[in-house]
Every structure is written in structure tokens, then in C-alpha cells.
Amino acid sequence: MNENYVTLTIGKQKNIALIAHDGKKAELIQWCEENKEILKNHFLCGTGTTARMITDKTGLPVRGYNSGPLGGDQQIGAKIVEGRVDVAIFFSDPLTAQPHDPDVKALIRIAQVYDIPIANNKASADFIIHSPLMNQEYNHKVINFKKNIEERAETL
């Protein structure tokens, strides 16, 4: 095993973050309704407005954080770092400027750093949610951050 990486395990029950820009909220709610039988077997969280709307419209329990522009995207990113979000479903609107675009980019970046699946549209969300990996544990390798910090501290 390469000591530069550590293996993390995503459990059978996934922690799924649900996020959508305003222009995509209705599409995400419809997707959640269509996939309700799968989603109800997992722990769901999301940014404030999106979480509340999904719960109101589908009955799925979704733990809400702040609204995206008020730090919700960063809260979800922090949950990824803590190992408390395994999958992110983020229906982003590529045709509308977002005032919190740096936060969105940071969220996507941290999902990449921690090697978690992130869907940014319905097609990619469908591929993730219907994957056989949704029903089993999944091991993935991420950078050994402790070792990385030790090495960086020695060179600075």
C-alpha cells in the first residue's frame, strides 16, 4: 500500500447531499420523487431552501443546512471533509450567473479532493443512483493528508 494514500469506506447507507440552483430546484424535486424508493434508504441532507422544498414536496426527510448563498455550499463541503457526505447531487444552472459561484467551485473541488461522486445534472445523477455500487460498501483512496501536511511542514 502506498503510504501517500489512505483507503476510506463509503457504507451501504449513503449520506447524500442534495443541492440545486433556483432554476433547477423543480427538476431536482421531480428527480427525488422519481427516485424516492431508493433515496428513502439513505441519509439525505441539503442546502436550506432545496432541502425544505424536497421535504415539503416529496415527504423525504432532508436535513437542511444554510441556503447556498448564505454558506450552505461551504457547510456541505465541510461535511465532505468530515466524511459525513458520501455522494453529492448538485443540479447546477450553467446558464445563470450565481452570486456564490466561488462557493460552488470550492464545493466541487473538495468533492474531487475527497474522491466522492458528484452529479451536476439529471443524467449523471441517474447513473449514480442506479449504479449497483449504491447498494454496497465502496472503498476509495484519498490523499493521506496527515502525511502530506508533515512533509509540507518540513519543507517550509
Side-chain angles (χ1 to χ4, degrees):
M1 171 87 183
N2 183 339
E3 65 182 36
N4 292 323
Y5 293 90
V6 295
T7 300
L8 300 179
T9 301
I10 296 174
K12 280 186 172 186
Q13 183 180 35
K14 310 297 187 266
N15 298 297
I16 303 172
L18 301 167
I19 309 159
H21 286 144
D22 289 349
K24 296 290 184 171
K25 288 188 190 326
E27 185 178 356
L28 180 60
I29 291 165
Q30 180 62 40
W31 182 85
C32 288
E33 185 63 42
E34 291 166 4
N35 293 287
K36 192 175 189 175
E37 290 303 308
I38 297 169
L39 292 170
K40 72 181 185 181
N41 298 314
H42 302 281
F43 174 77
L44 308 175
C45 66
T47 49
T49 310
T50 303
R52 171 168 280 184
M53 290 176 73
I54 292 169
T55 297
D56 289 349
K57 304 278 187 190
T58 69
L60 288 166
V62 183
R63 169 136 173 33
Y65 295 107
N66 288 351
S67 175
L70 299 177
D73 298 321
Q74 292 183 356
Q75 286 179 296
I76 299 289
K79 298 299 175 196
I80 292 170
V81 172
E82 294 169 3
R84 296 175 60 197
V85 167
D86 304 314
V87 175
I89 306 295
F90 187 171
F91 282 21
S92 61
D93 185 350
L95 301 178
T96 304
Q98 303 298 326
H100 61 296
D101 192 53
D103 299 337
V104 172
K105 288 180 178 166
L107 173 62
I108 292 167
R109 180 187 164 281
I110 210 70
Q112 291 172 319
V113 168
Y114 282 84
D115 192 36
I116 71 155
I118 184 165
N120 62 358
N121 57 31
K122 183 180 180 303
S124 56
D126 284 341
F127 272 80
I128 289 172
I129 201 82
H130 295 290
S131 165
L133 297 174
M134 283 298 294
N135 301 314
Q136 62 191 41
E137 287 187 347
Y138 177 78
N139 293 322
H140 60 128
K141 292 191 317 186
V142 298
I143 294 169
N144 182 341
F145 294 105
K146 183 178 177 186
K147 183 174 184 321
N148 182 272
I149 289 169
E150 289 170 356
E151 290 174 355
R152 289 185 64 210
E154 288 175 11
T155 62
L156 295 177

